Amino acid sequence: MGLYRQDGTRIAKDAFPATTLDDPPVRVTDDVYVSEPYGRGDGRPEGSKRSLLYPVGAIVARSVIDGHFTMPALTSISPDHGPESGGTTVTITGEHLDGVSAVTFGGVAGDGLSITSADELTVTTPPGEPGAVTVKIADDGGTASKANGFTYDPAPELPEPSADD
């Protein structure tokens, strides 16, 4: 038995038509499952089914594993402004948000990150200087940001005390 090209010529072992890739195979060391919503659903984790994706011992190319960690996308931030003292709970919508592990406002980490669904999360703003800042979300798949995504409103100025006070 041998290997042949489409035109019928035999392929020698040392002339096999392939290139070496920098994509090492990895051996799976624990069962890995994928979660999918039943039917159309609302995309929330509840109401999902889990299926075995890779059993222990499976050999998978690193690029295939990396492909499961999709970069998040940031679509909207609501509300998009709040006081410079922080404390505003914002809802961020987008795609692939279920793995987000950090949200920053002008480089400062938000508090109370809560993943609502694969398309929505909430986080509380930290204090910041008045003006617009970039909002950045990060997960294993990468980062996404929105320039001028949140604006810190300046604190209202208090009237000067009068001489009569």
Side-chain angles (χ1 to χ4, degrees):
M1 179 171 117
L3 299 177
Y4 298 87
R5 290 188 173 79
Q6 186 174 2
D7 66 6
T9 58
R10 188 171 192 285
I11 300 171
K13 181 179 179 181
D14 61 351
F16 189 84
T19 58
T20 302
L21 299 176
D22 188 20
D23 190 10
V26 296
R27 183 179 307 276
V28 178
T29 59
D30 199 1
D31 287 341
V32 175
Y33 292 81
V34 64
S35 180
E36 302 171 86
Y38 288 114
R40 291 175 34 181
D42 60 5
R44 297 180 190 275
E46 67 276 1
S48 298
K49 62 182 176 178
R50 290 218 163 94
S51 305
L52 182 62
L53 183 62
Y54 300 116
V56 171
I59 306 289
V60 184
R62 180 83 241 171
S63 63
V64 173
I65 300 293
D66 292 345
H68 292 292
F69 296 92
T70 308
M71 190 165 80
L74 193 158
T75 305
S76 70
I77 301 164
S78 179
D80 62 357
H81 65 93
E84 65 180 309
S85 59
T88 302
T89 299
V90 298
T91 299
I92 295 176
T93 60
E95 294 178 341
H96 314 294
L97 302 180
D98 49 343
V100 170
S101 57
V103 179
T104 60
F105 296 82
V108 180
D111 294 318
L113 173 61
S114 177
I115 307 297
T116 309
S117 71
D119 301 327
E120 182 181 280
L121 62 83
T122 60
V123 64
T124 302
T125 60
E129 295 294 319
V133 297
T134 297
V135 176
K136 187 175 185 179
I137 59 176
D139 76 2
D140 291 339
T143 62
S145 62
K146 185 169 185 151
N148 303 319
F150 188 83
T151 301
Y152 284 101
D153 299 327
E157 292 188 30
L158 299 175
E160 290 292 322
S162 66
D164 296 337
D165 290 339

